[in-house]
Amino acid sequence: MRQNQYVNAWIREMADMTRPDKIVWIDGSDEQAEALRAEACSTGEMIKLNQELLPGCYLHRSAVNDVARVEGRTFICTPTKEEAGNINNWMDPAECYAKLSEIYKGSMVGRTMYVIPYSMGVPGSPFSKIGVELTDSIYVVLSMLIMTRVGEAVMEALADSPDFIKGLHAKADLDEEKRYICHFPQDNTIWSVNSGYGGNVLLGKKCFALRIASYLGRKEGWMAEHMLILGIQFPSGDVKYICAAFPSACGKTNLAMLIPPEYYAKQGYKVWCVGDDISWLRPGPDGRLYAINPENGFFGVAPGTNAHSNPNALASTRKNTIFTNVAYDIDQNTVWWEGLDKNPPKHALNWKGEPWDAADGTKGAHPNSRFTAPAKNCPVISDQFENPNGVPISAIVFGGRRAKTAPLVYQSFDWNHGTFVGSIMASETTAAASGAVGVVRRDPMAMRPFVGYNMGDYFAHWLEMGHLIKNKPLIFHVNWFRTDDEGHFIWPGFGDNMRVLMWILRRCEGKVDARTSAIGYLPYAKDIEVEGLSVGTDTVEDLLTVDKASWLEDVDNIEDFYAQIGDSVPAELHAQLDALKQRLSDM
Ligand code: OXD
Ligand code: MN
């Protein structure tokens, strides 16, 4: 493989610290991957599943204390605390390097260090960026082979440049007390230690493609966002693209792969998935905003994925997929999770690898159990998925899980107001998460855990991008999660969310009127298509109401949140908040 002096020098330095027995370069070949799979199976790190039912599929279990991202142990190590801001955890870079060096020291003795050259985005695309991850985990290697583009072509694209993101991962002894996920944006460096859970160790994903990339985007005039990308194809063949940001557990993967309701399907509408989690966006030569999905696979939550909720995601997992922390069906040598179907295996192991009987009331799969599946498996993957120039974005959609406050959909007045709408995004905690139910967590642009610098400066960058994009997408907010007095969801959701997306696209084309409200433009209920739905236009009307009292309460909560972010919140957003308050008072 082509060598690069900067990569080599850095590997030497990291190997001097971690002291692996061997260093192995990952070339992206099937032969090498197959040998690593065999090795992982021989040590018990992975289980080869039934190759007739699930060809190329494997099961992996992470340590019981290591099953999710650890926000409390995730740090942004900028030279000053102010650059990281009040929402991020901050550590002084020198202190962090020193502290983690102690943990890394000798941690790979008796182990192999794998060198994974990878590209986020198609190698050679103007959007793409290169990373090299060093890891002592075969699971990480095999997962990165699914989630990113790995191997020779990447080193060719890097050529003699020093411009790559350096990621070091060591499992060490998986000690939670010494678990750290640290980012050094000024050094293009990520250090992750004492974890084996995907979100903490597949460094191309949240660490690079969101935290480091958001920092680079600000410096270089583009955006890294926690957004899915989908295309809606009209009967004419024309495709319009939408980016959408939702906090974790609000159905991003489901929306990204939605199945059109019959009403649209029979007219010839189709939906294509470009990405389910991350978008990199930059203005194109025609002044529009273009997006790529920098990833090459889906790292989806398994529980709840089924033939009704998301048949396309389920189909994506039927080959060449790694399942993590799901239940194991011993008789069939397959996997199972809550919500897959109503037939839990009779003879099974739970996600911890213990004998498990569904009748005892415990969970077979961990609620955050995952599948790592190649994007190309998805039956509705877009033919633009590999387009190096990305797809033009007509609309940006923000969303949250709100039982009462947010209406089904509204449109922002303009880009600055849309930035404000993104900045006040929020979700209410559900019974599925630990802690109190119904507590509002503000999650601006769904980026709260993922902005690699000061949140207020991130807002300023959004406002600045408004000047750089000549033909701006329109910005909307949706809420699929309003509930009735008994706590039942009112809107049917899933594929029927397309009905709302269609209103959004008609707004983008100037084909439908809207009414001005205190919070933005609201649809006329009659303009949301309800044919074939169990809910009618009256219910849609209810879903579009704006309750003054709950919004004023929300304004107080937003004021507190802005205060928490501090002085970096742009004056423009304070002005937007004041204007909202005024409009609500005038209601
Ligand atoms: C994810 C997340 O894993 O947002 O995508 O937590
Ligand atoms: Mn995500």
Side-chain angles (χ1 to χ4, degrees), residues 420 517-519 548 551-552 555 559 574-587:
F420 170 71
S517 79
I519 62 167
K548 180 172 172 171
W551 272 88
L552 283 171
V555 163
E559 275 171 350
H574 282 293
Q576 291 280 350
L577 181 55
D578 290 344
L580 169 64
K581 214 157 127 180
Q582 188 59 53
R583 290 192 302 265
L584 289 168
S585 311
D586 293 346
M587 253 173 92

Side-chain angles (χ1 to χ4, degrees), residues 69 205-206 210 226-227 246-249 252-253 276-278 295 299 370 446 450:
R69 286 188 290 105
K205 194 174 177 66
K206 303 298 187 183
L210 288 177
H226 194 193
M227 290 179 177
F246 296 84
S248 306
K252 255 190 17 265
T253 303
D276 78 326
D277 196 39
I278 298 176
E295 301 192 278
F299 182 61
R370 298 278 177 152
F450 305 122

Side-chain angles (χ1 to χ4, degrees), residues 36 114 131 167 231 233 425 448 528 583-584:
L36 288 170
Y114 299 98
Q233 182 176 326
M425 253 174 75
R448 184 180 179 128
I528 305 282
R583 290 192 302 265
L584 289 168

Side-chain angles (χ1 to χ4, degrees), residues 402-411 476-483 490-491 499-501 503-504 507 512-530 535-548 550-551 584 587:
R402 302 302 299 268
K404 299 279 174 245
T405 315
L408 180 62
V409 58
Y410 66 100
Q411 181 191 341
F476 297 81
H477 187 282
V478 299
N479 175 27
W480 317 132
F481 300 100
R482 265 208 191 175
T483 52
I490 302 171
W491 180 248
R499 298 167 188 273
V500 173
L501 300 183
W503 180 78
I504 286 174
R507 283 296 290 168
V512 64
D513 282 341
R515 53 202 156 123
T516 305
S517 79
I519 62 167
Y521 298 119
L522 285 170
Y524 290 103
K526 66 172 176 45
D527 292 327
I528 305 282
E529 182 56 64
V530 291
V535 304
T537 298
D538 288 357
T539 307
V540 172
E541 188 74 59
D542 288 345
L543 286 167
L544 292 171
T545 51
V546 174
D547 178 60
K548 180 172 172 171
S550 35
W551 272 88
L584 289 168
M587 253 173 92

Side-chain angles (χ1 to χ4, degrees), residues 103-160:
I103 305 172
Y104 280 121
K105 207 180 269 176
S107 64
M108 294 192 191
V109 171
R111 301 181 186 181
T112 301
M113 172 190 272
Y114 299 98
V115 180
I116 314 171
Y118 66 95
S119 176
M120 300 311 291
V122 184
S125 146
F127 284 77
S128 296
K129 297 262 175 203
I130 287 172
V132 181
E133 176 163 355
L134 309 179
T135 178
D136 54 4
S137 159
I138 296 182
Y139 168 71
V140 168
V141 172
L142 295 173
S143 301
M144 287 293 281
L145 282 165
I146 296 172
M147 294 303 296
T148 71
R149 284 115 177 147
V150 173
E152 299 265 8
V154 177
M155 291 308 287
E156 290 298 331
L158 180 61
D160 299 321

Side-chain angles (χ1 to χ4, degrees), residues 46-102:
M46 296 204 313
I47 295 168
K48 191 171 189 166
L49 296 169
N50 183 325
Q51 295 298 295
E52 262 162 50
L53 297 174
L54 295 168
C57 292
Y58 292 79
L59 169 64
H60 168 79
R61 297 188 189 102
S62 64
V64 174
N65 72 0
D66 188 24
V67 291
R69 286 188 290 105
V70 279
E71 288 178 19
R73 308 202 65 91
T74 299
F75 290 82
I76 302 297
C77 305
T78 42
T80 64
K81 175 163 170 38
E82 203 189 335
E83 284 165 274
N86 295 335
I87 302 299
N88 284 312
N89 301 313
W90 174 81
M91 219 192 300
D92 172 72
E95 182 193 327
C96 186
Y97 280 130
K99 187 180 192 127
L100 268 61
S101 294
E102 280 308 308

Side-chain angles (χ1 to χ4, degrees), residues 311-383:
N312 289 319
L314 190 62
S316 306
T317 67
R318 298 298 91 179
K319 62 179 184 204
N320 303 332
T321 292
I322 303 175
F323 298 94
T324 305
N325 297 338
V326 296
Y328 177 61
D329 179 334
I330 298 172
D331 294 334
Q332 297 239 43
N333 189 23
T334 56
V335 290
W336 189 85
W337 51 77
E338 278 68 23
L340 173 64
D341 55 39
K342 295 202 158 57
N343 309 306
K346 300 271 169 307
H347 189 204
L349 301 180
N350 67 12
W351 63 274
K352 300 179 199 169
E354 302 161 340
W356 174 70
D357 180 352
D360 73 12
T362 61
K363 294 220 183 297
H366 187 276
N368 192 38
S369 54
R370 298 278 177 152
F371 54 80
T372 309
K376 63 169 187 275
N377 283 0
C378 180
V380 295
I381 196 72
S382 163
D383 63 359

